[in-house]
Amino acid sequence: ACHDAISAALIARAGFRVGFMSGFAVSAASLALPDAGIISYAEMLAAGRAICEAGRGMCVVGDGDTGFGGPANIRRAVEGYARAGFAGMSIEDQVYPKRCSLARGVSVVSRDEAIARVRAAVTARDEMKAASGLDLVVIGRTDCRHAPHGGLDEAVARCRAFAELGADLVYAEGLGGEDEFAALHAVLPAATPTMLAQVERPSVQLLSSEDAARHGFTLCLHGLTVFSASVLAMKRTLTSLAAGAGAPADSLLPLDELHAEVGFPQLYAWEARLDDRERDRTTEP
């Protein structure tokens, strides 16, 4: 998962074919505020445009939260995300304002309302594609596994309903091990793509992407890894600076490499070509 333009560009340069714009990470990076329904659709869309532009060549999935409102809001979000350059968008079933799935107090809407949200997203996508040719992968997500009145059976039932509605991929947050992975895949229509999301935390053993694939998952998302690594690096460097020690030499990129990552060599090459063309023009007889 990425949280801004430079993280998206680095993910693409590392060879990843798919990236994910994390709502948690964007809210934290843009506002220094938690993922608790505080960041707006407009703010997410602005971050998404920069991310999709910087991560060109990579399919980027946007965290669509709950769709930012009712069916009309979901339609607007689907169209906005597609125009911004996203390849996909997730829609989840939390009560609005939503919050990070690992936080306290997560609550979900009824199954009927969850299905209505995904139906609105799929319908909006299909109508948009017919009218303009723009397309978007719709990911139906449920957070009900550990929510009140939820549980494994309800999570599995919702994912099946999302797939039958036409969601291109389904995602059940918080599944607990291979028995629950198998329960999900056993009830889905044949060849339905699925996503496994993982966050590094105490006492949790993460699966490798190969193990996730063996359990039937199509995508394996590390939602906070890149953002957490960047915050740790900044904190360590600032602690050293505040102590008067300066930044540790091994904690910084060489300046030439930093310039390369943000595109100075390409800029200089482009300016040189312009200069050459201008010289050629002014020296013509």
Side-chain angles (χ1 to χ4, degrees):
C2 52
H3 54 277
D4 60 8
I6 188 62
S7 60
L10 291 171
I11 290 168
R13 291 170 196 163
F16 289 91
R17 297 168 58 196
V18 181
F20 191 97
M21 181 184 76
S22 161
F24 180 116
V26 171
S27 182
S30 301
L31 307 178
L33 289 173
D35 182 18
I38 299 170
I39 195 165
S40 69
Y41 164 70
E43 290 166 319
M44 289 288 284
L45 190 63
R49 287 194 188 99
I51 284 168
C52 291
E53 176 68 20
R56 62 182 66 185
M58 175 175 70
C59 295
V60 182
V61 177
D63 188 341
D65 289 342
T66 62
F68 306 98
N73 302 83
I74 293 172
R75 176 179 182 139
R76 182 187 182 214
V78 165
E79 293 178 353
Y81 273 39
R83 291 194 185 99
F86 283 104
M89 174 181 173
S90 61
I91 294 288
E92 65 193 59
D93 58 359
Q94 282 198 37
V95 171
Y96 186 84
K98 58 90 59 182
R99 58 184 57 209
C100 170
S101 60
L102 301 176
R104 295 190 301 271
V106 170
S107 184
V108 297
V109 299
S110 69
R111 190 192 303 181
D112 286 345
E113 187 172 345
I115 289 171
R117 286 181 185 173
V118 175
R119 181 183 291 114
V122 169
T123 300
R125 185 272 313 277
D126 291 346
E127 292 176 352
M128 174 183 69
K129 185 176 180 179
S132 67
L134 283 172
D135 202 358
L136 197 71
V137 168
V138 174
I139 299 176
R141 164 179 167 170
T142 180
D143 285 60
C144 77
R145 174 64 186 90
H146 298 290
H149 314 297
L152 175 62
D153 290 345
E154 181 63 17
V156 167
R158 292 187 184 207
C159 283
R160 179 181 177 89
F162 297 159
E164 291 174 343
L165 275 173
D168 301 289
L169 185 145
V170 297
Y171 160 32
E173 169 63 36
L175 296 184
E178 57 186 80
D179 290 344
E180 297 196 1
F181 301 158
L184 171 65
H185 290 100
V187 304
L188 293 175
T192 301
T194 55
M195 183 168 77
L196 174 68
Q198 303 187 92
V199 172
E200 294 84 355
R201 48 192 168 129
S203 74
V204 173
Q205 180 66 43
L206 301 191
L207 296 182
S208 68
S209 55
E210 292 81 4
D211 286 339
R214 280 193 286 273
H215 286 295
F217 292 99
T218 312
L219 295 180
C220 181
L221 170 64
H222 294 270
L224 294 180
T225 307
V226 172
F227 177 68
S228 180
S230 66
V231 172
L232 176 60
M234 287 189 284
K235 288 186 66 175
R236 285 179 171 171
T237 301
L238 290 166
T239 297
S240 181
L241 288 172
D250 62 355
S251 69
L252 302 178
L253 283 175
L255 187 58
D256 287 349
E257 187 175 346
L258 182 61
H259 278 188
E261 294 294 358
V262 299
F264 272 112
Q266 296 91 326
L267 174 63
Y268 296 153
W270 183 75
E271 290 176 336
R273 290 197 302 273
L274 287 182
D275 290 342
D276 289 342
R277 290 177 183 176
E278 182 63 18
R279 281 192 295 271
D280 291 342
R281 186 185 67 81
T282 56
T283 57
E284 288 176 0

